[in-house]
């Protein structure tokens, strides 16, 4: 084949043009490019996470964690300088209050989870 035919075929393939041939007066598709389309396209929805609210008052060092009534509750863990000082379970609609100064001065990390899913994580410093 000469280079003109190869270039023409390559151009037709790149532009995705349908190539037809005449066969006794009827058009027969020789090459019709189609891209594979997945008919089983699935979108993955993010799981519903309860809207846990957590507030910290720096003057009183009070940490308040509120679980909504529509949730299944959860677990609150508080770490001071890397060591766990609080591990508490809470029911749906519960409000937990902790005065961090009672556990000592240091850097605190708060982790609130629902099952194996962390729904809130935060940190604060008690001086």
């Amino acid at each position: 084949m000469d280079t003109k035919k190869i270039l023409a075929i390559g151009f037709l393939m790149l532009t995705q043009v349908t190539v037809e041939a005449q066969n006794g007066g009827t058009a027969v598709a020789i090459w019709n490019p189609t891209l594979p389309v997945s008919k089983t396209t699935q979108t993955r929805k993010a799981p519903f996470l309860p809207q846990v609210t957590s507030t910290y008052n720096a003057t009183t060092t009070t940490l308040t964690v509120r679980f909504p009534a529509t949730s299944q509750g959860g677990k609150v863990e508080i770490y001071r300088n890397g060591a766990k000082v609080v591990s508490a379970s809470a029911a749906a609609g519960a409000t937990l209050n902790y005065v961090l100064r009672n556990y000592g001065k240091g850097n605190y990390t708060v982790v609130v989870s629902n099952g194996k899913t962390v729904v809130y994580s935060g940190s604060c410093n008690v001086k």
Side-chain angles (χ1 to χ4, degrees):
M1 281 189 158
D2 62 341
T3 57
K4 289 183 182 180
K5 290 181 183 177
I6 293 174
L7 288 175
I9 292 171
F11 177 74
L12 291 174
M13 290 175 70
L14 289 176
T15 57
Q16 298 182 356
V17 175
T18 301
V19 179
E20 296 180 349
Q22 293 293 328
N23 183 13
T26 59
V28 178
I30 298 173
W31 183 71
N32 186 3
T34 57
L35 296 175
V37 178
S38 175
K39 297 188 191 273
T40 60
T41 307
Q42 296 178 356
T43 56
R44 186 173 184 161
K45 296 181 180 180
F48 171 74
L49 297 177
Q51 298 298 318
V52 175
T53 57
S54 176
T55 57
Y56 174 68
N57 185 341
T59 57
T60 61
T61 68
T62 302
L63 174 71
T64 304
V65 180
R66 289 185 181 94
F67 290 91
T70 58
S71 73
Q72 299 174 356
K75 186 175 183 180
V76 177
E77 294 177 333
I78 301 174
Y79 299 88
R80 182 178 61 88
N81 297 332
K84 187 185 292 187
V85 292
V86 173
S87 179
S89 296
T95 300
L96 303 176
N97 293 313
Y98 299 99
V99 180
L100 299 182
R101 188 174 291 140
N102 294 342
Y103 301 107
K105 297 178 182 179
N107 295 319
Y108 284 85
T109 303
V110 179
V111 178
V112 180
S113 59
N114 183 349
K116 293 185 178 183
T117 305
V118 173
V119 292
Y120 175 80
S121 176
S123 61
C124 58
N125 188 9
V126 175
K127 297 179 182 181

